[in-house]
């Protein structure tokens, strides 16, 4: 499942990185408690506070529970929303914790995503995390085995929704997705949730820097049948790939292997429907609901 997770030279994952999610640190718990106290003192509910700091209520809750490391923008906006006391800015300097809400094996990739100058994704199992609606993401997480506790589920939700901000905050970064048609046909939840998913995907793939191609059901066998893959390039011209399976993931930095995966992906681009036809197919699927 894509929850999304080398050495100093960005080599492959080491065994020590495949570990359990860390428990909230004391500094994160304390910071979260201060955020909650200041928010409540200001008379703000989590949803209203979330709008002011421009993060989802799930992210606000995760920060307050000490299960998520707030970034600089959260701290600054939270300060403004709670009266500019300076308490949050000062406390943020002492925060310590690894990135929360991501599988251990995905963290290296997630860090590379943040600095990539291009990102490409092929998926044949489920809607890519960067395109998932809130209802779809929740259904994915609720279906995991073993069942995730409620607070961890909300942490996963907050991280998933926050990662999607990349699509809007980086309008000059090309994002390319190739997804199998059957992924969008797989039923989940109520019909309204299916419509919401398709609307969400159409909305997120509308900007000029986001391209979505669908591999139709009638397409023949193709170059990426070995499974889903993600590709990215850094500002220094470095290329990396990432593949994921049951309870594991692999960051690939070997130039020869990455080049092969890029070749397979480029071949599949020519075999999938073009972006216009792909959007038309999604609109057709929505109309059939």
């Amino acid at each position: 499942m894509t929850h999304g997770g080398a050495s100093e030279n960005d080599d492959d994952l080491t065994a020590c990185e495949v570990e359990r999610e860390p428990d909230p640190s004391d500094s994160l718990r304390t910071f979260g408690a201060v955020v909650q106290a200041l928010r409540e003192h200001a008379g703000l509910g989590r949803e209203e506070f979330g709008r002011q700091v421009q993060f989802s209520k799930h992210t606000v809750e995760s920060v307050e529970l000490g299960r998520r490391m707030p970034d600089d923008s959260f701290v600054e906006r939270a300060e403004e929303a709670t009266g500019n006391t300076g308490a949050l800015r000062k406390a943020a300097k002492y925060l310590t914790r690894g990135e929360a809400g991501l599988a251990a094996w995905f963290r290296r990739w997630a860090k590379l995503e943040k600095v990539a100058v291009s990102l490409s994704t092929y998926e044949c199992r489920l809607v890519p995390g960067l395109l998932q609606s809130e209802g779809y993401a929740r259904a994915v997480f609720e279906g995991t085995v073993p069942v995730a506790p409620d607070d961890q589920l909300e942490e996963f939700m907050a991280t998933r929704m926050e990662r999607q901000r990349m699509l809007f905050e980086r309008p000059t970064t090309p994002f390319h997705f190739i997804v199998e048609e059957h992924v969008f046909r797989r039923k989940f939840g109520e019909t309204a949730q299916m419509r919401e998913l398709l609307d969400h995907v159409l909305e997120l793939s509308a900007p000029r820097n986001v391209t979505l191609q669908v591999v139709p059901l009638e397409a023949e066998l193709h170059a990426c049948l070995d499974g889903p893959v993600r590709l990215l390039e850094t500002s220094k011209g470095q290329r990396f790939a990432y593949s994921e399976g049951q309870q594991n993931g692999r960051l690939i930095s070997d130039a020869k292997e990455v080049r092969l995966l890029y070749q397979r992906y480029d071949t599949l681009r020519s075999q999938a429907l073009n972006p216009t036809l792909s959007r038309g197919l999604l609109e057709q699927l929505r109309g059939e609901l």
Side-chain angles (χ1 to χ4, degrees):
M1 180 185 69
T2 52
H3 299 162
S7 64
E8 292 182 357
N9 295 321
D10 290 316
D11 293 329
D12 290 353
L13 289 172
T14 59
C16 65
E17 290 174 307
V18 183
E19 58 188 9
R20 296 179 63 185
E21 293 289 328
D23 292 330
S25 66
D26 289 341
S27 66
L28 277 173
R29 287 194 183 99
T30 301
F31 182 87
V34 173
V35 171
Q36 182 173 356
L38 290 175
R39 172 180 64 76
E40 291 175 349
H41 182 72
L44 300 172
R46 279 180 177 153
E47 189 166 354
E48 183 180 358
F49 183 77
R51 286 195 294 270
Q52 292 196 28
V53 298
Q54 298 176 38
F55 283 83
S56 71
K57 64 180 180 181
H58 303 296
T59 298
V60 173
E61 182 179 33
S62 292
V63 170
E64 292 183 352
L65 291 173
R67 293 188 172 277
R68 179 155 192 81
M69 176 72 75
D71 64 18
D72 292 342
S73 61
F74 182 99
V75 175
E76 288 301 315
R77 293 167 189 157
E79 273 283 10
E80 295 172 5
T82 56
N84 279 309
T85 65
L88 298 182
R89 292 191 187 97
K90 291 179 180 178
K93 297 177 182 179
Y94 302 98
L95 288 174
T96 58
R97 190 192 176 195
E99 195 161 2
L102 296 174
W105 57 83
F106 189 77
R107 291 175 189 152
R108 285 285 184 183
W109 181 260
K111 290 178 181 178
L112 287 169
E113 271 188 338
K114 294 178 180 179
V115 297
V117 296
S118 69
L119 281 156
S120 299
T121 300
Y122 164 65
E123 256 300 348
C124 56
R125 306 164 303 171
L126 73 171
V127 176
L130 291 178
L131 297 179
Q132 291 177 6
S133 65
E134 185 171 327
Y136 185 93
R138 185 172 294 278
V140 169
F141 290 132
E142 288 180 342
T144 59
V145 176
V147 176
D150 289 343
D151 57 349
Q152 190 177 60
L153 187 147
E154 294 307 321
E155 181 179 300
F156 289 156
M157 284 293 300
T159 301
R160 177 61 50 84
M161 296 298 104
E162 186 176 331
R163 281 182 64 231
Q164 291 187 4
R165 291 162 59 91
M166 286 193 295
L167 299 177
F168 300 103
E169 293 178 344
R170 295 158 64 183
T172 60
T173 299
F175 293 87
H176 191 273
F177 300 90
I178 302 178
V179 185
E180 299 281 352
E181 178 182 343
H182 68 79
V183 167
F184 295 111
R185 288 185 175 274
R186 185 180 296 278
K187 302 295 183 182
F188 81 98
E190 303 293 332
T191 300
Q193 291 179 297
M194 290 289 295
R195 291 197 188 101
E196 179 189 27
L197 168 65
L198 294 172
D199 286 341
H200 190 70
V201 172
L202 286 167
E203 178 185 359
L204 292 186
S205 60
R208 290 184 297 122
N209 65 311
V210 182
T211 304
L212 171 64
Q213 291 183 254
V214 177
V215 182
L217 293 176
E218 62 268 21
E220 298 181 355
L221 300 180
H222 56 70
C224 287
L225 291 178
D226 282 350
V229 65
R230 306 180 195 196
L231 307 164
L232 66 75
E233 184 173 350
T234 71
S235 59
K236 297 180 180 179
Q238 296 173 298
R239 286 182 165 187
F240 297 91
Y242 176 79
S243 64
E244 190 173 69
Q246 296 279 349
Q247 290 299 105
N248 68 81
R250 186 164 73 99
L251 178 65
I252 304 167
S253 58
D254 178 75
K256 184 176 180 180
E257 190 172 357
V258 172
R259 183 166 58 249
L260 172 61
L261 292 173
Y262 264 92
Q263 290 172 349
R264 290 179 180 177
Y265 190 88
D266 288 341
T267 300
L268 183 57
R269 291 181 74 163
S270 67
Q271 297 170 314
L273 296 176
N274 66 41
T276 300
L277 292 177
S278 296
R279 290 184 66 82
L281 176 57
L282 293 186
E283 290 169 349
Q284 175 188 326
L285 293 179
R286 191 196 183 289
E288 293 173 358
L289 294 173

